[in-house]
Amino acid sequence: MNRIFLFCLILLGCYFRSTAQYADHVLPGATQTARYLPLLKNKRVALMVNQTSTIDKTHLVDSLLKLKINIVKIFSPEHGFRGTAGHGESVANSIDSATGLPIISLYGQHRKATAADLKDVDILVFDVQDVGTRFFTYISSLQELMESAAENKKTLVILDRPNPNGDYIDGPVLDTAYRSFVGMQPIPVVHGMTVAEYARMLNGERWLSKGLKCDIKVVPCENYTHQTYYKLPVKPSPNLPNMAAVNLYPSLCFFEGTALSLGRGTDKPFQVYGSPLFPKQDFSFTPKASATNPTPVLKDQVCYGFDLSHAPETVPYKGRKLELKWLISAYHLFPNKDKFFNPFFAKLAGTKTLQQQIEKGLSEAEIRKSWEPGLAKFKVIRAKYLLY
């Protein structure tokens, strides 16, 4: 019986492998079914997943249920299991209408799985598409799930996925005095790691709570390097609708800590930025309330600004970096300098220094030079945990 089961796994893995290669040639960990299904057989399984957790066009939950894996519950990160909740929106626990499985939200007030959440669980699976920035909260959820697993002596299987911004490393390294859910560890804004590599770093550097170490089993991607172009098949969050937004996100997310709109409530989130107080010009946009953006910044106000939606989707390209020019120019254009930054900016930057440098009028080159010692130190640490 076991031989038949393993043979079926191999055939299924070959099927998913062939379809994925036809699409992109890169095979995320979830497609490597023969590597991880034996770990789940005859176990009570809980998954942290969302809308990105797919094998080809089939959700991982559906695939595993068809293979008779005993899924007992689903944990969901920010934006919820279906990926439809807005930025920062709390999502209540629920029952998945399609499968009848309980969904426990690990975002908001209940961020960590408790002993009660895990008492009927033998093994955990993490399969969520990240975008490679410190302030995208999926890696914070990964850390807290690792801590819960370690505290409750559970194994965590990580199904790795490519990092669409994994070809470069840039930005200020977080000062731990500014730790928050949008930045939990001393890493740069753009860290150049997949979630599995980052999990290995959390373990290896003993960055988990109380120096815990989580028992992780990594299922790596195939045919992937950090220089590989990988187009995300599913948008990772409601406001990253395309690869242009994903590529611009590391640079434009800083505007979340300012008085400007970065396009939430428009058809180009994270691809435009502006303000009603900017000089009037040809390009303008008006943020509107929507299901995923019920109260966008500067709602119903005409914002004059800049459209970056022409940014290249096919990356990496030589010299790619975190762009500060847009933030610096916006600060100079904004008439009320003392109201440009808000307290959230320091959390996004991971330091108070960047705001102070911009306010003092330092050039982008001068600011970037100040990052170099921290980035050099981080690169040495990062190298120990790379898989690709």
Side-chain angles (χ1 to χ4, degrees):
M1 187 69 176
N2 286 340
R3 288 182 181 177
I4 295 173
F5 179 77
L6 289 172
F7 180 70
C8 290
L9 296 187
I10 292 169
L11 287 179
L12 188 64
C14 290
Y15 167 74
F16 284 127
R17 182 173 306 176
S18 64
T19 56
Q21 283 182 329
Y22 180 79
D24 260 326
H25 300 289
V26 174
L27 304 175
T31 68
Q32 317 302 315
T33 51
R35 295 192 181 192
Y36 63 90
L37 289 183
L39 298 172
L40 309 183
K41 187 186 177 187
N42 300 323
K43 301 283 181 63
R44 297 172 298 176
V45 181
L47 295 85
M48 175 168 273
V49 287
N50 66 2
Q51 77 286 353
T52 68
S53 311
T54 60
I55 301 176
D56 197 9
K57 294 183 180 180
T58 303
H59 198 281
L60 181 65
V61 169
D62 297 324
S63 297
L64 295 182
L65 288 175
K66 287 177 183 177
L67 290 164
K68 308 302 181 185
I69 296 300
N70 180 22
I71 302 174
V72 295
K73 65 186 63 174
I74 296 166
F75 294 117
S76 65
E78 184 179 6
H79 306 300
F81 176 51
R82 299 295 178 189
T84 56
H87 165 66
E89 181 181 340
S90 293
V91 180
N93 296 344
S94 62
I95 300 295
D96 180 42
S97 59
T99 63
L101 290 170
I103 302 172
I104 298 175
S105 173
L106 295 184
Y107 182 72
Q109 297 299 313
H110 181 63
R111 289 197 333 221
K112 288 186 71 170
T114 64
D117 292 330
L118 297 177
K119 68 180 180 180
D120 59 347
V121 173
D122 298 318
I123 193 167
L124 292 154
V125 176
F126 181 96
D127 180 29
V128 178
Q129 177 66 61
D130 189 49
V131 299
T133 61
R134 187 183 64 220
F135 35 58
F136 202 60
T137 62
Y138 295 162
I139 59 170
S140 297
S141 293
L142 170 64
Q143 174 177 332
E144 296 196 336
L145 188 65
M146 288 175 67
E147 289 173 352
S148 296
E151 290 163 359
N152 292 278
K153 297 179 171 53
K154 311 290 184 182
T155 295
L156 175 62
V157 179
I158 300 175
L159 306 182
D160 208 12
R161 290 184 177 270
N163 176 356
N165 288 306
D167 57 296
Y168 70 114
I169 303 161
D170 210 359
V173 172
L174 179 134
D175 176 347
T176 54
Y178 292 91
R179 273 195 170 115
S180 72
F181 199 59
V182 293
M184 297 179 73
Q185 298 300 342
I187 64 173
V189 170
V190 186
H191 51 71
M193 307 180 84
T194 66
V195 292
E197 291 172 328
Y198 184 64
R200 283 159 51 86
M201 179 182 283
L202 290 173
N203 263 346
E205 298 303 307
R206 296 288 181 169
W207 283 347
L208 298 182
S209 175
K210 301 175 184 176
L212 289 168
K213 190 171 184 178
C214 179
D215 177 23
I216 61 173
K217 307 292 185 188
V218 172
V219 182
C221 305
E222 286 191 2
N223 306 323
Y224 170 73
T225 75
H226 284 287
Q227 299 302 314
T228 302
Y229 171 64
Y230 178 74
K231 183 175 182 179
L232 302 187
V234 180
K235 62 183 181 182
S237 68
N239 287 288
L240 293 179
N242 53 43
M243 291 304 293
V246 169
N247 297 335
L248 289 166
Y249 177 76
S251 302
L252 293 194
C253 192
F254 284 124
F255 286 115
E256 300 268 47
T258 73
L260 273 59
S261 166
L262 47 64
R264 290 187 186 275
T266 76
D267 61 353
K268 293 181 179 180
F270 288 97
Q271 298 160 82
V272 300
Y273 67 93
S275 165
L277 301 181
F278 275 1
K280 291 185 178 181
Q281 50 192 300
D282 290 340
F283 178 71
S284 66
F285 61 92
T286 305
K288 296 289 185 180
S290 67
T292 54
N293 291 286
T295 56
V297 172
L298 302 175
K299 181 169 75 77
D300 297 330
Q301 298 183 52
V302 178
C303 297
Y304 301 96
F306 302 88
D307 183 357
L308 305 177
S309 60
H310 58 278
E313 290 200 2
T314 305
V315 293
Y317 56 83
K318 187 175 180 180
R320 193 152 80 110
K321 63 182 181 179
L322 190 157
E323 297 287 356
L324 281 178
K325 60 188 177 185
W326 301 313
L327 181 64
I328 292 171
S329 66
Y331 176 75
H332 290 311
L333 280 175
F334 197 73
N336 301 331
K337 299 288 190 289
D338 60 336
K339 294 183 179 179
F340 181 79
F341 294 104
N342 64 47
F344 191 47
F345 186 84
K347 292 182 179 181
L348 290 170
T351 174
K352 191 71 173 177
T353 304
L354 180 56
Q355 176 179 337
Q356 294 168 343
Q357 290 171 323
I358 293 172
E359 290 173 337
K360 289 177 182 177
L362 269 66
S363 68
E364 180 170 358
E366 290 172 319
I367 294 172
R368 296 184 65 82
K369 189 172 182 60
S370 72
W371 297 346
E372 290 177 2
L375 288 173
K377 182 178 178 181
F378 171 75
K379 288 175 183 178
V380 172
I381 297 172
R382 171 183 175 269
K384 296 186 289 184
Y385 304 108
L386 295 181
L387 296 169
Y388 314 100

